[in-house]
Every structure is written in structure tokens, then in C-alpha cells.
Amino acid sequence: DMTFVLRKEREDIILPDNNWIWANDWVVDVNGIHGKTTDSDGWEYATDFETFNSSSRFYQRSDSCRRRRWTRTRIFLPSMLESMERPLPFVWHSSRNENGNYLVTIKSKLTIHNSTNMKLSVFAFHFSWDEDKIVGSFLPGEKLHIPVSMTPVSCIRLAKKRYISDKMTFRDCPI
């Protein structure tokens, strides 16, 4: 608030209605350009509060004001998410083998195509889980079908593998 009359705490922010849930906790937005628009902690600086509207920038000697942006992701809560009778969308294909037996292949409707030039890993998240679960990895040009058991996930994240001193980690991919 530019007038300093209204003070709003992060914890006072409420969801629009009961159809939404929080997907994560509050985090500082550190997506600025380090050394140009923000510092490493997400702070941007200005000589006074009125100049914040003109542009973001890194600290200068005459600055007396700073701010940073906090973000939190909300997701739409499907009405039947917890119901055991919820419909699970899937695609099925049937065929017959040489013995005359029917073969049925069932896949989820959600398919991700890797059109990058690197191997990607896919992680899924549901608000009732403690952490992300790996769905699988796939090479450039390949497709990955999200398993039917994971169709009610709230969020899907792509990452690429990287190795730091013989330890495998994952780094999110900008999309």
C-alpha cells in the first residue's frame, strides 16, 4: 500500500472460495536478474517507495527502501478428488494376439511429449502427499503417459538430471 494505511499480512490472504486449496507455502520470488533487478534474496531497491513503480533494480548507495515479492500457488480442487467413485479418464486399446487372446492396454489421457534436446524427468504432486513422486523419465522425441493411478495429481513438474560431485539431483526446466 503506497499510503501506508492498509497493512496486509501474508497469512491474511484467503482463497476466493472453497473450490481452491494452497499447493505450497509462501516463498520469496527470486526470479529477478541477480545484480540487475534484484539481489540473491529477491530484494529490489529504490530511493523512495514512489519510484518502485518505475522499474526494479539492484542496490545503489542512495537507496533507503527495499521490497520483495512473495508468491504462493493455489490450485483448483476438483469436487470428486477424494471420492473412491470418481471417474478416472483413460484411453484403452484392444487387440488380439496370435493365439486369439484379447490384449487391452490402458493409459491415462495425459501424455507428455519431450520436444526438447535433453532427457527429462516428470514429477507429480498431490496436496495430500508429503512430497513429489517421480512418474518417469523420457528421452527427446519420446512420449510419457502419466499412469492411471496418478490421474488425480494436482501439479506436474518437469526437471532435468544434473550431477554435482557424483550426486544426482534434479533441476526444474523453464517452460
Side-chain angles (χ1 to χ4, degrees), residues 39-85:
D39 65 15
S40 60
D41 293 322
W43 291 104
E44 58 184 53
Y45 298 86
T47 52
D48 56 51
F49 284 107
E50 292 175 0
T51 58
F52 272 125
N53 292 334
S54 59
S55 65
S56 303
R57 65 175 170 77
F58 191 67
Y59 176 77
Q60 292 180 358
R61 202 172 231 187
S62 61
D63 291 339
S64 59
C65 300
R66 70 179 185 171
R67 71 177 178 185
R68 62 183 175 177
R69 191 170 96 137
W70 290 80
T71 62
R72 191 173 188 188
T73 304
R74 69 179 184 188
I75 56 174
F76 188 71
L77 179 65
S79 59
M80 297 178 63
L81 191 59
E82 294 304 316
S83 171
M84 291 304 289
E85 298 173 359

Side-chain angles (χ1 to χ4, degrees), residues 143-174:
K143 293 179 182 179
L144 179 73
H145 297 276
I146 303 300
V148 174
S149 62
M150 290 194 169
T151 54
V153 298
S154 311
C155 177
I156 292 177
R157 180 171 63 90
L158 296 176
K160 63 181 178 178
K161 286 184 184 177
R162 68 179 189 171
Y163 294 89
I164 300 175
S165 55
D166 297 332
K167 234 181 173 181
M168 182 178 60
T169 61
F170 290 93
R171 181 175 174 191
D172 287 349
C173 295

Side-chain angles (χ1 to χ4, degrees), residues 9-15 21-29 69-75:
E9 300 293 329
R10 289 188 307 267
E11 292 73 29
D12 295 336
I13 304 297
I14 59 172
L15 293 165
I21 58 171
W22 292 116
N24 60 0
D25 290 327
W26 289 101
V27 294
V28 174
D29 181 2
R69 191 170 96 137
W70 290 80
T71 62
R72 191 173 188 188
T73 304
R74 69 179 184 188
I75 56 174

Side-chain angles (χ1 to χ4, degrees), residues 77-146:
L77 179 65
S79 59
M80 297 178 63
L81 191 59
E82 294 304 316
S83 171
M84 291 304 289
E85 298 173 359
R86 71 183 181 274
L88 291 176
F90 62 87
V91 176
W92 62 281
H93 174 75
S94 65
S95 61
R96 282 184 117 160
N97 65 12
E98 62 276 356
N99 298 328
N101 297 323
Y102 282 100
L103 302 173
V104 179
T105 306
I106 299 175
K107 299 177 183 176
S108 71
K109 284 179 112 177
L110 182 55
T111 303
I112 301 173
H113 184 265
N114 184 353
S115 58
T116 70
N117 61 357
M118 66 187 100
K119 182 178 181 180
L120 295 177
S121 295
V122 178
F123 295 84
F125 176 77
H126 186 272
F127 73 94
S128 66
W129 302 343
D130 290 333
E131 59 187 21
D132 292 355
K133 295 183 181 181
I134 188 159
V135 176
S137 297
F138 59 130
L139 297 170
E142 290 183 340
K143 293 179 182 179
L144 179 73
H145 297 276
I146 303 300

